[in-house]
Amino acid sequence: MLLDRIRLPFEDELRAERFRLIETLDGLSDDDFDAGTTLCTEWAPRDVLGHVIGLDYFVSSYLPFGPKINDANRAQADRARAMPRERLMRWARHWADHPSTTSRVGAGILLGDLGVHHQDVVRGLGLTRRVPDGTATAIFREGLQLSVWLNRRVLRHRLEPTDGHRPVALPGAKNGPTVRGTREALGMWLCGRDSVTPELEFD
C-alpha cells in the first residue's frame, strides 16, 4: 500500500515514545511490573501496557463493546494480565516498531494518550524522567481534549504553561482563575490526575 511507504505526521514521535515506555517498564522489578501503583485506578504497569497496545487493534478491541469503552479498556488489561512478562514485552517491542495503520493515521492523538499513560506509570511509582518537548505538548493537548467532557476544568480556567506554550483560555474561561505549570503537569491535571496539583500555581 502507498500509505505504508509514507511517514505520517507524529509517527516517528509515537514510535519513540513507545520505546521510551518499554525502557521504563524494562527497569521495573517483577513486583512493580505486576502490581505496582500507577495513577490509573486499579491498574498496574502491565495493565497500562495492555491498554496502550490494545489501541492498535481498534476494530477488534473496541467495536465488539460498542459504546462501553471502559469495558473494552478492562478487557485489554485483562488480556495483558494473563500473559507472562517476557511474552508481553516481546509483543510490546513489535507494537512499538510496527504501529497499525489506524495508529499511524491517528498518531497525533495517540501520542498524547501514550504520554499520559507513561506518566501514570512513572509518577505512580515515584520515578522521574525527562519528558521530551513533543510529548509534553501532546500531553497538554490530550488534557485539553479530555477535560471538556471529563471534568470541564478547561472550561473554567485560564491555562498558562510555564515551559514554552501559549496560554489557553476558552471563551467561557477568559475571566476565570489562572493555573500555571509545565505542559506535562497541566495536561495530567486536566486529565484528572489530581496528585499533580501541588506542582501547579493557582491564582
Side-chain angles (χ1 to χ4, degrees):
M1 292 177 58
L2 177 62
L3 192 61
D4 293 336
R5 299 194 295 270
I6 299 174
R7 268 293 192 265
L8 298 174
F10 299 102
E11 182 178 346
D12 290 337
E13 291 92 332
L14 180 66
R15 279 191 170 91
E17 184 64 17
R18 287 180 172 189
F19 278 110
R20 284 190 287 266
L21 173 62
I22 289 172
E23 183 178 4
T24 295
L25 295 173
D26 277 339
L28 302 182
S29 68
D30 286 339
D31 285 344
D32 281 344
F33 184 79
D34 290 332
T37 300
T38 76
L39 302 189
C40 292
T41 305
E42 298 181 0
W43 277 6
R46 68 152 53 242
D47 304 320
V48 173
L49 178 60
H51 165 62
V52 294
I53 289 176
L55 292 172
D56 250 30
Y57 305 92
F58 180 80
V59 173
S60 59
S61 292
Y62 283 94
L63 290 188
F65 291 90
K68 298 179 180 178
I69 295 176
N70 289 336
D71 289 347
N73 292 340
R74 192 175 302 110
Q76 294 162 6
D78 289 344
R79 178 174 56 183
R81 197 175 297 125
M83 286 187 185
R85 179 177 184 176
E86 184 178 350
R87 179 183 171 192
L88 179 57
M89 293 306 294
R90 282 200 306 269
W91 187 16
R93 288 182 175 85
H94 182 273
W95 159 81
D97 201 33
H98 301 87
S100 68
T101 300
T102 54
S103 290
R104 292 174 62 227
V105 171
I109 296 172
L110 290 180
L111 177 59
D113 180 79
L114 178 63
V116 168
H117 285 305
H118 192 172
Q119 291 307 104
D120 285 336
V121 173
V122 169
R123 284 178 170 275
L125 291 171
L127 306 175
T128 60
R129 73 164 180 136
R130 187 190 71 80
V131 180
D133 190 67
T135 301
T137 298
I139 291 172
F140 183 51
R141 186 171 59 242
E142 176 77 359
L144 294 174
Q145 295 166 350
L146 282 183
S147 181
V148 171
W149 62 269
L150 185 66
N151 52 40
R152 305 180 74 82
R153 288 172 175 170
V154 69
L155 303 180
R156 301 191 303 269
H157 298 84
R158 174 182 169 84
L159 305 162
E160 291 189 1
T162 56
D163 59 346
H165 192 285
R166 62 178 177 78
V168 174
L170 298 184
K174 289 183 178 179
N175 296 320
T178 297
V179 186
R180 298 182 184 87
T182 64
R183 285 165 290 168
E184 182 266 343
L186 284 171
M188 297 297 287
W189 178 73
L190 289 168
C191 287
R193 276 56 170 186
D194 290 341
S195 61
V196 309
T197 302
E199 300 174 27
L200 303 175
E201 177 186 345
F202 294 80
D203 282 352

